[in-house]
Amino acid sequence: MKAAIAEKRPELANRRGVVFHHDNAKLYVALAVRQKLLQFDWDVLPHPPYSPNLAPSDYYLFLSLKNSLRSKSFKSISEIKTHLDEYFASKLQQFWKEGIMRLPERWKKVIEQNGSYIT
């Protein structure tokens, strides 16, 4: 993976500081967030405004959540909220860590595909 990043993103290959990754769609990049990133002097990893290949919530969290909802039927908003509360409470720290740890593999695939969508 380091070779792919070194080839496609040499400025990141040997970076020692924080490189912040987030979905940079305009709706989510509030002025306060941009100011805080500047204040922290963090580099922001650029990617397309909507990139489900790189957003952990899209390829990891929501896939798991979708599976938890499969074949479920709710009679009220309250039942939905209860299910979601229970779903999130049931996720151990390892679940969240695993989603983040899969990012380098996803980045490599995106780089190898020249930004094309990964199925």
Side-chain angles (χ1 to χ4, degrees):
M1 182 192 81
K2 278 190 166 191
I5 291 176
E7 179 184 328
K8 302 285 185 176
R9 295 295 224 355
E11 72 279 8
L12 297 178
N14 296 312
R15 177 91 169 110
R16 292 210 179 266
V18 173
V19 177
F20 187 74
H21 175 256
H22 67 108
D23 181 354
N24 61 357
K26 293 299 181 206
L27 294 175
Y28 303 107
V29 185
L31 180 58
V33 172
R34 289 186 299 215
Q35 289 173 338
K36 189 58 74 173
L37 291 171
L38 285 171
Q39 178 186 345
F40 288 160
D41 194 30
W42 288 358
D43 289 334
V44 176
L45 181 66
H47 67 274
Y50 179 72
S51 182
N53 296 313
L54 294 177
S57 58
D58 287 351
Y59 80 83
Y60 187 73
L61 170 62
F62 290 150
L63 178 61
S64 173
L65 180 58
K66 182 174 95 174
N67 290 334
S68 84
L69 293 168
R70 185 164 288 139
S71 302
K72 295 258 192 287
S73 177
F74 301 102
K75 295 180 182 174
S76 68
I77 296 293
S78 175
E79 285 184 17
I80 295 169
K81 288 179 180 178
T82 298
H83 176 80
L84 291 174
D85 287 344
E86 290 171 357
Y87 169 82
F88 287 113
S90 75
K91 296 301 172 197
L92 302 175
Q93 183 178 359
Q94 182 61 32
F95 173 82
W96 306 108
K97 182 178 179 180
E98 188 174 313
I100 296 299
M101 297 309 288
R102 288 184 179 180
L103 278 171
E105 176 186 328
R106 302 296 293 188
W107 290 333
K108 179 181 177 187
K109 288 180 181 178
V110 169
I111 289 169
E112 289 170 351
Q113 295 292 323
N114 290 320
S116 296
Y117 187 77
I118 299 170
T119 55

